Amino acid sequence: MDSRTPKGTGISVGDYKPQEIEAKWQKRWNENRVFESEADPKKQKYYVLEMLPYPSGTLHMGHMRNYTIGDVVARVKRMKGFNVIHPMGWDAFGLPAENAAIKNQTHPRIWTNNNIAEFQKVLRRFGFSYDWRREISTCEPEYYHWNQWFFLRMLERGLAYRKKSRVNWCPKCCTVLANEQVINGGYCWRHEDTLVEARDIEQWFLKTTAYADQLLDDLKQLEGGWPERVITMQRNWIGKSIGAKVWFEVDGDRGPAISDQGSRAGSSEAKAHSSAGLMSDLKVRPPEEKPPSQKIEIFTTRIDTIYGASALILAPNYPLAESLIAGAEDGREEESAGLKTGHCTNKSEMRMKKLAQMKQSSVKMEDIATAEKDGFFTGRYAINPFNGEKIPIWVGNFVLMEYGTGAIMAVPAHDERDFEFATKFGLKIPVVVAPEKPVAREVGSQKSESSGAKAQFSADSMSDLKVRPPKEDPKSPDATPASGAPKEAYTEYGISVNSGPYSGLKTEETIEKMAADAEARGFGKKETIYRLRDWGISRQRYWGTPIPVIYCAKDGVVPVPDKDLPVVLPANPKLTGEGQSPLATDPEFVNVKCPKCGGPARRETDTMDTFVDSSWYFYRYCDPKNDKAPYESAKADYWFPIDQYIGGIEHAILHLMYSRFWCKVMRDIGLIHHSEPAARLFTQGMVLKDGTAMSKSAGNVVGALDMAERYGADTGRLYTLFAAPPEKDLEWSEESIEGSWRFLNRVYRLAEKESQHPLANSRQKKAEKEVGSQKSEVGNEKKNFTSEVTKGTETTERESQSSASGARAHSSAGVMSDLKVRPPEENRWNPDATPASGAPGNLTEGEKALLRKAHQTLRRVTQDFETRWHFNSAIAQIMELTNAIYAADESVRAEVRREVLEILVLMLAPMTPHLAEELWEMLGHCGGLWTVSWPMYKPELAKEEEVEIVVQVNGKVRGKVKLAAGTSEEEVMTLAKADAGIAAHLQGKTIVKVIFVKDKLLNIVVS
Ligand SMILES: [Zn+2]
Ligand SMILES: [Zn+2]
């Protein structure tokens, strides 16, 4: 079998040879440098970008979707006259290279560069229209130089700082993980079966929290341009909420220990814990603000539920715990709650024992959600400051000293975990929030979906003081507030009930009002809190950007001077995958002179998180060779913001949050003049095979190169676009690929046939039948496509003219804005200057019908590309048009058929660019499609021809209906019946017969 036919498919093929065609046109594109662009303020720019790949393994078809979508957009925008930048580069630092190096004894650079070469080969093979001159690789000193430069600028501004802190340590990665890299309640994001450990080490942090408000507020700018889902995820990640501290007074003065925290006798353990500060950064309240003595401070985001508090629960190592217990009286029997005391009389002693026990078996953070709840009553009470009620003070194993204040108020009716605890230990469950509208179950479940973001937030939020299990389905309580104890916690917002003067207010109002009142009355304080944490960037790895600081015994932390940048990675590290940072093992790297005093000093040996690399890479594309600055501001000002960013939803939080942060920092440094890097974001669906995402580990990949070898890149591209709408998941199907392949063959044969039957012949043939000169029109037609393109200056003319239209102002408005940008007429496919579309008066009925189909398709496809990316429906339309051309009979002249075929080729150009170029050439054009603009449809040709149908009842004319030619009898009948005048004659009668003459008459016979 011919090597170009799809192997084993048995498909008969014509002379469509994708491998030859694709190589030919890629060469021409390169020679003509058609994808290169330069910043030019006179031109309307368009920046389309796919997220830069991490080069690892081989590219499969699951990867190609992102790039194919981006390429279609880039090519359409070019055809529409935009100055398009469409770059590509490599996220080249990272752990896999280091792991591979350890395993295979190769240098990470070799491993990485081999992968880059492989990736580049595949992307080039698919003909993606990148400006390869702008290619960057983040592992090169020319690039990471600027990571270091940015770090130093942040250090100067107090945005980079060092602190000893508890970190997440993956024993398999042997490195620190960011909080967001800890998944599924305590596992490594790369090793989903490996529990993350806690360690305390000195770390470098970037102060993302300094921009928390801006990161939140600026999301408004992105509305309409970014998927709502992503905006919600970003908002929840920042997690701003209004919380309040409230101080509960301890009831009764039972001893000096309570009134003086400093003299806590025998509580050295607790004291040590409270002052250790290891996790102090995780605390919500600033450490310097101590709660007043004799009071227990709690923090809550739901102060509105305070009337429903049925206990305060302390962490086992809460500083006051011992002294509280010591001060308790051996009272009534129920005060032994939680103690398996039997008939022991000394409850205080039992409590102390229990406390010691709980301290020892403290629940780990990651187990808190699932651990068996345990607790006991201290024998003491606190006063609810809002209503003066006495509530018991408990100790619970699920309250952590490390979060918040180490004490919580338990509101069982409105918190699932508190509910569980209260049910187990018999605490009261007062209901203080009712659903806003008493809703039925089904409605409730719908509501939970729409308010899922809120539920998610409160579940995720560390600031809540309580580490809660994720709540997937917040439910309304079964019972109404009045009818006794609820069967489950109602955790949603609603209306306050049983809450004194606050009853009847909405949750939001109650929160505001109670927090303000608590502050005014001196027992609380309103606080705005964020879930967002500072970004820990230190990594104990080799394959990353060295952090450019030096430690001197005399001068402390000394920044590496700018003139000494970049701090280059040592060439030959010892990579063992264990222990300290590999950089620490190289004495030549480590031992340096202090830039300040010249004395002996040590370099920092950690490298930066690779998210640093991807936080600003798209700016470097604007000016990739700059060795004086990360990029020239004027260039960034021209190209930014990115008009269309495309990538996977998995990057919806981290990469985009860090990029947005970096953008704001660069703005404050004065490098750029905008606040958001990307005006529009698109997240494509996944490619599935056999029901699961295509991935090497799942063993269900279809190699991209194999695909190109079997069917050609154009078939792969077309299939990827056709198989599903771009935002939806795509289920891979070999059969459908063959369908795409057959379609392209059909188009090819059509053009082949056309090119083998010269227009002159068919014209001669037609001329026998028809009078009228087509000669001049044929001449025009050719000129229309080719006259300008041979001059060699057309691109410039086209572009400069388009910018003259002043469309620059729309640069950030996105997809819709370019409707206003029109390339100049000379390079436009102008329907008025074509033989058929341009002179519709001379057309036969068959020609009219075919042209109508062509212009309708063009209209639809143009819209599908413009507004929403309905590539799949666009392709379906083009397939129908292809059928229509095949079906065209003798009444359609060759030149009309050819014109329609040309429209078809132009519509295919962004999606199957190689084939389109070849067909364009076969149809007699020279100069390449890159010189041709997107065709414009002619509304009057796209319009359905309207006919007037006479409607008779029993032979008498009773009305007329106007509708599109070719409308079916059924539809005409429906329309006729809807006409009041006609309907009057049908009323009460039985239809016995209907006579229908298409496009002319409907006669209804009634009795
Ligand atoms: Zn790991
Ligand atoms: Zn020094």
Side-chain angles (χ1 to χ4, degrees), residues 170 173 188 191:
C170 171
C173 295
C188 172
H191 304 104

Side-chain angles (χ1 to χ4, degrees), residues 328-350:
E329 285 170 354
D330 278 350
R332 294 152 297 174
E333 191 55 31
E334 69 261 29
E335 290 186 356
S336 63
L339 301 171
K340 284 178 189 146
T341 55
H343 296 287
C344 177
T345 46
N346 190 347
K347 292 199 184 76
S348 188
E349 200 173 293
M350 291 308 298

Side-chain angles (χ1 to χ4, degrees), residues 95 169-175 177 187-192 194 196:
L95 195 61
W169 179 270
C170 171
K172 273 196 188 157
C173 295
C174 291
T175 196
L177 302 179
Y187 292 86
C188 172
W189 69 320
R190 291 189 195 274
H191 304 104
E192 292 190 19
T194 304
V196 172

